[in-house]
Amino acid sequence: MPFSLDALRRWPDLEAPDLLAADAADRLILDESAEARTDLADGELVVIGDAYGALTLASAAAGARGIRVHQDELTGEQALAANAETTQLTGSFTSHARDAALVEGARVVLLRLPRALRELHDIAGLIARYAHPDVVVFAGGRLKHMTVTMNDVLRERFERVDVSHARQKSRVLIVRGPHDGADPEPERARIDGLEVRAFGGAFAGASLDIGTRLLLAHLPEPRGGEAIDLACGTGIVAATLATRHPSLRVLACDQSAIAVESARATAEANGVGDRVTVVRDDMLRSRPDDSASFIALNPPFHSGAAVTEGIAPRMFAEAARVLRPGGELWTVWNSALQYRPALERLVGPTRQVARDRKFTVTVSSRTA
């Protein structure tokens, strides 16, 4: 069938199933890189940060094979797989962790610029160390999300950074001449006696956001010897619970690959890696019904670059599915969002445990 970017969809994004998966920045990256992608051998093209598969599948439709892809969000991987099946391009790419195997020997890299400069620093260092010396990186994004500091970050690892003409409020940085490559190293901090590790792009970095701090101040000892840290971020809640309660086993989960990598590093840094299991999961999809007694949650309020209030209720419903009758969901949330009615409806009876000028902590008990 003829390939069209307009055929791609963001699904399984349940909040916006009809929105297109490609934007002007994707189209500009593809146009600027078209000549460079001609006659690449299998495996020489790498795509990083492809939200729903536009860069990968357009390249595959143009003939590229063995494309190596890294997407931080698990839902992005799911959307890419679904879009590949729809466009009959399954098998043209493989998904990878953000490591040496992703970029080793690459000659062309298509990159959607991340917002976090530390994340860009990590990616640039990885490409500069392991990609082919002649690699060309096409790093693009929407103008409203780009800063001149991004050019400086890239110049730390590459000799040349050229800037494309802007088109439809998008621009591409064309980068050549890798040098001084390095593997990503996490940011490190010691907070309230806890060692925190955060790779570039992790929410809040190596710091403790004020909502999580309020939640930690009121979490009790979980019953049953097990707990879940849902949307774990850098793993602060999981590591804190495990250090406070030496017999407790904790499952920490997040759909972000950066978060999972950070949470594992945080658990290891605090000597609780043997009792904190960190998994990449779409909410709690891999967990069976009625299998947990205690879940802690600081729900995110964004999906990619979009701010949305629709994610938290889906997490509440997923927590309710996994909790046993009588199990507890401990949640911290921005008081202005008024989540209590949703918690009452989706989980069960909910009471306020603490509240400050900005955040509220509640505990909801799953009804039978």
Side-chain angles (χ1 to χ4, degrees), residues 31-43:
D31 287 348
E32 291 288 338
S33 67
E35 183 176 351
R37 287 185 284 115
T38 303
D39 298 328
L40 285 177
D42 288 2

PDB file of all heavy atoms in Angstrom, residues 31-43:
ATOM      1  N   ASP A  31      12.840  15.286   5.511  1.00  0.00           N
ATOM      2  CA  ASP A  31      13.257  15.980   4.285  1.00  0.00           C
ATOM      3  C   ASP A  31      14.743  16.324   4.325  1.00  0.00           C
ATOM      4  O   ASP A  31      15.470  16.143   3.341  1.00  0.00           O
ATOM      5  CB  ASP A  31      12.424  17.248   4.092  1.00  0.00           C
ATOM      6  CG  ASP A  31      10.997  16.957   3.667  1.00  0.00           C
ATOM      7  OD1 ASP A  31      10.718  15.788   3.304  1.00  0.00           O
ATOM      8  OD2 ASP A  31      10.149  17.875   3.710  1.00  0.00           O
ATOM      9  N   GLU A  32      15.225  16.817   5.464  1.00  0.00           N
ATOM     10  CA  GLU A  32      16.629  17.204   5.572  1.00  0.00           C
ATOM     11  C   GLU A  32      17.560  15.995   5.492  1.00  0.00           C
ATOM     12  O   GLU A  32      18.700  16.099   5.036  1.00  0.00           O
ATOM     13  CB  GLU A  32      16.872  17.960   6.884  1.00  0.00           C
ATOM     14  CG  GLU A  32      16.236  19.348   6.951  1.00  0.00           C
ATOM     15  CD  GLU A  32      16.942  20.355   6.050  1.00  0.00           C
ATOM     16  OE1 GLU A  32      18.130  20.124   5.712  1.00  0.00           O
ATOM     17  OE2 GLU A  32      16.315  21.367   5.686  1.00  0.00           O
ATOM     18  N   SER A  33      17.083  14.841   5.932  1.00  0.00           N
ATOM     19  CA  SER A  33      17.937  13.652   5.963  1.00  0.00           C
ATOM     20  C   SER A  33      17.763  12.747   4.758  1.00  0.00           C
ATOM     21  O   SER A  33      18.437  11.713   4.661  1.00  0.00           O
ATOM     22  CB  SER A  33      17.629  12.835   7.227  1.00  0.00           C
ATOM     23  OG  SER A  33      16.309  12.294   7.175  1.00  0.00           O
ATOM     24  N   ALA A  34      16.897  13.109   3.831  1.00  0.00           N
ATOM     25  CA  ALA A  34      16.552  12.198   2.731  1.00  0.00           C
ATOM     26  C   ALA A  34      17.779  11.753   1.938  1.00  0.00           C
ATOM     27  O   ALA A  34      17.970  10.554   1.668  1.00  0.00           O
ATOM     28  CB  ALA A  34      15.527  12.863   1.808  1.00  0.00           C
ATOM     29  N   GLU A  35      18.637  12.674   1.560  1.00  0.00           N
ATOM     30  CA  GLU A  35      19.815  12.315   0.769  1.00  0.00           C
ATOM     31  C   GLU A  35      20.771  11.446   1.580  1.00  0.00           C
ATOM     32  O   GLU A  35      21.328  10.466   1.072  1.00  0.00           O
ATOM     33  CB  GLU A  35      20.529  13.578   0.285  1.00  0.00           C
ATOM     34  CG  GLU A  35      21.740  13.289  -0.607  1.00  0.00           C
ATOM     35  CD  GLU A  35      22.378  14.554  -1.148  1.00  0.00           C
ATOM     36  OE1 GLU A  35      21.803  15.653  -0.974  1.00  0.00           O
ATOM     37  OE2 GLU A  35      23.480  14.439  -1.737  1.00  0.00           O
ATOM     38  N   ALA A  36      20.958  11.790   2.856  1.00  0.00           N
ATOM     39  CA  ALA A  36      21.889  11.030   3.701  1.00  0.00           C
ATOM     40  C   ALA A  36      21.412   9.600   3.919  1.00  0.00           C
ATOM     41  O   ALA A  36      22.220   8.687   4.125  1.00  0.00           O
ATOM     42  CB  ALA A  36      22.067  11.738   5.044  1.00  0.00           C
ATOM     43  N   ARG A  37      20.100   9.391   3.880  1.00  0.00           N
ATOM     44  CA  ARG A  37      19.557   8.053   4.110  1.00  0.00           C
ATOM     45  C   ARG A  37      19.604   7.180   2.861  1.00  0.00           C
ATOM     46  O   ARG A  37      19.355   5.973   2.936  1.00  0.00           O
ATOM     47  CB  ARG A  37      18.112   8.160   4.610  1.00  0.00           C
ATOM     48  CG  ARG A  37      18.003   8.641   6.047  1.00  0.00           C
ATOM     49  CD  ARG A  37      16.570   8.624   6.557  1.00  0.00           C
ATOM     50  NE  ARG A  37      15.763   9.726   6.027  1.00  0.00           N
ATOM     51  CZ  ARG A  37      14.728   9.582   5.231  1.00  0.00           C
ATOM     52  NH1 ARG A  37      14.364   8.380   4.787  1.00  0.00           N
ATOM     53  NH2 ARG A  37      14.030  10.630   4.828  1.00  0.00           N
ATOM     54  N   THR A  38      19.939   7.761   1.720  1.00  0.00           N
ATOM     55  CA  THR A  38      20.006   6.998   0.478  1.00  0.00           C
ATOM     56  C   THR A  38      21.171   6.021   0.506  1.00  0.00           C
ATOM     57  O   THR A  38      22.297   6.385   0.868  1.00  0.00           O
ATOM     58  CB  THR A  38      20.160   7.945  -0.727  1.00  0.00           C
ATOM     59  OG1 THR A  38      19.067   8.861  -0.739  1.00  0.00           O
ATOM     60  CG2 THR A  38      20.174   7.169  -2.038  1.00  0.00           C
ATOM     61  N   ASP A  39      20.915   4.783   0.158  1.00  0.00           N
ATOM     62  CA  ASP A  39      21.948   3.743   0.010  1.00  0.00           C
ATOM     63  C   ASP A  39      22.648   3.361   1.308  1.00  0.00           C
ATOM     64  O   ASP A  39      23.774   2.851   1.286  1.00  0.00           O
ATOM     65  CB  ASP A  39      23.002   4.176  -1.021  1.00  0.00           C
ATOM     66  CG  ASP A  39      22.409   4.381  -2.412  1.00  0.00           C
ATOM     67  OD1 ASP A  39      21.447   3.649  -2.730  1.00  0.00           O
ATOM     68  OD2 ASP A  39      22.895   5.262  -3.141  1.00  0.00           O
ATOM     69  N   LEU A  40      22.015   3.600   2.451  1.00  0.00           N
ATOM     70  CA  LEU A  40      22.579   3.097   3.704  1.00  0.00           C
ATOM     71  C   LEU A  40      22.485   1.580   3.731  1.00  0.00           C
ATOM     72  O   LEU A  40      21.515   0.979   3.247  1.00  0.00           O
ATOM     73  CB  LEU A  40      21.815   3.659   4.906  1.00  0.00           C
ATOM     74  CG  LEU A  40      22.054   5.121   5.291  1.00  0.00           C
ATOM     75  CD1 LEU A  40      21.138   5.500   6.452  1.00  0.00           C
ATOM     76  CD2 LEU A  40      23.501   5.367   5.654  1.00  0.00           C
ATOM     77  N   ALA A  41      23.483   0.942   4.305  1.00  0.00           N
ATOM     78  CA  ALA A  41      23.412  -0.500   4.507  1.00  0.00           C
ATOM     79  C   ALA A  41      22.453  -0.807   5.653  1.00  0.00           C
ATOM     80  O   ALA A  41      22.154   0.060   6.490  1.00  0.00           O
ATOM     81  CB  ALA A  41      24.800  -1.048   4.814  1.00  0.00           C
ATOM     82  N   ASP A  42      21.976  -2.047   5.705  1.00  0.00           N
ATOM     83  CA  ASP A  42      21.104  -2.452   6.795  1.00  0.00           C
ATOM     84  C   ASP A  42      21.790  -2.196   8.135  1.00  0.00           C
ATOM     85  O   ASP A  42      22.965  -2.520   8.317  1.00  0.00           O
ATOM     86  CB  ASP A  42      20.760  -3.936   6.693  1.00  0.00           C
ATOM     87  CG  ASP A  42      19.790  -4.237   5.553  1.00  0.00           C
ATOM     88  OD1 ASP A  42      19.421  -3.301   4.836  1.00  0.00           O
ATOM     89  OD2 ASP A  42      19.421  -5.418   5.407  1.00  0.00           O
ATOM     90  N   GLY A  43      21.069  -1.599   9.053  1.00  0.00           N
ATOM     91  CA  GLY A  43      21.590  -1.373  10.393  1.00  0.00           C
ATOM     92  C   GLY A  43      22.347  -0.076  10.575  1.00  0.00           C
ATOM     93  O   GLY A  43      22.795   0.216  11.686  1.00  0.00           O
TER      94      GLY A  43
END
